[in-house]
Amino acid sequence: MSADLDQLENQSIYILREAYNRIDKLAMLWSIGKDSNALLWLCRKAFFGRIPFPVVQLDTAMELPEVYEFRDRITKEWDLDLKVEQCPPEEEMDQTLPPLTRAAARKTEGLKNLLRDHAYQGVMVGIRRDEQATRAKERVFSPRSLEGDWDVKDQPAEFWDHYKTRFPEGVHVRIHPLLAWTELDIWRYSQREGIPIVPLYFARDGKRYRSLGEKNITFPVDSTASTIDEIIAELQVTRVPERAGRAMDNESEDSFERLRSVGYM
């Protein structure tokens, strides 16, 4: 198992260094969840303890208090160049979207504003293929329009760790160093490395957050797992999907796909 984690770690560090070497202006999106915390840790390893690009939180002011406390602590301890992008209000979202999906769309519009205002050419995002079916179609280096539009049929081929990293004007690139990881991999790696974890992931009163998001659209699931060992054991037998607590996923069959096509992470 340790060898598998070593291979994943080496691949991710290679992707991070490849992106830094070939793409001029980079930022990393930090949701403060388990995946982006693991990605942050990998960035520190890749660049010898100091992350050489901004770390951006897309903030809706709807995160749980523990998330903001964790953000502020880690920013100080790891000396991060944190940028907080305030997302537009829900009233400005596409009103044809279902209500919960409109709430989730705020981060999509926040990311568009970030790209417009700061002209980042590459954005690192801690998504995984196993988390959601639409993300299984992703590439490691995924070109998008400046508005975030994603054409799933027009993605570059990626073979044997060879990635297309040069794109024309009017394009930004999403870089996904964790795409090959699984939820179990993230937890095993976090345990091995001693990566700090937001306490909400650990069960309290028979509930824990499997996936972190805004408090108005994300809810805890039934669980008694209060340690990483117990979470790993739970994940080995559970049939409950990782995003079971994401209310948006149960609102409309195509909600996630619609958001992804216009720039959602």
Side-chain angles (χ1 to χ4, degrees), residues 132 134 137 150 152 253-262:
Q132 207 278 340
T134 305
K137 304 171 187 176
W150 178 49
V152 68
E253 187 174 343
D254 66 344
S255 287
F256 198 91
E257 188 108 21
R258 286 180 67 184
L259 287 184
R260 288 283 289 164
S261 68
V262 295

Side-chain angles (χ1 to χ4, degrees), residues 40-128:
L40 206 59
W41 183 270
L42 286 161
C43 286
R44 295 177 76 229
K45 277 198 161 188
F47 302 108
F48 308 103
R50 183 168 179 82
I51 300 173
F53 38 76
V55 174
V56 179
Q57 183 203 9
L58 301 174
D59 189 22
T60 61
M62 294 297 293
E63 303 292 349
L64 290 149
E66 292 90 338
V67 171
Y68 291 115
E69 291 166 10
F70 185 91
R71 178 198 69 184
D72 294 343
R73 177 172 68 84
I74 295 298
T75 296
K76 184 177 180 180
E77 290 179 3
W78 291 0
D79 193 22
L80 302 177
D81 180 13
L82 175 66
K83 312 291 185 188
V84 178
E85 179 72 25
Q86 299 298 332
C87 299
E90 192 173 332
E91 294 74 27
E92 296 180 15
M93 301 302 102
D94 179 357
Q95 296 301 302
T96 68
L97 292 169
L100 300 177
T101 308
R102 279 202 302 274
R106 294 179 62 198
K107 288 191 175 181
T108 303
E109 297 306 315
L111 178 56
K112 290 179 183 180
N113 291 343
L114 178 79
L115 293 169
R116 270 193 298 267
D117 294 344
H118 299 282
Y120 291 117
Q121 296 177 354
V123 179
M124 298 183 182
V125 187
I127 67 168
R128 310 184 327 268

Side-chain angles (χ1 to χ4, degrees), residues 31-43:
S31 72
I32 307 128
K34 63 185 184 301
D35 299 320
S36 64
N37 290 339
L39 181 55
L40 206 59
W41 183 270
L42 286 161
C43 286

Side-chain angles (χ1 to χ4, degrees), residues 18 178 195 218:
E18 186 80 352
L178 300 181
I195 299 172
T218 311

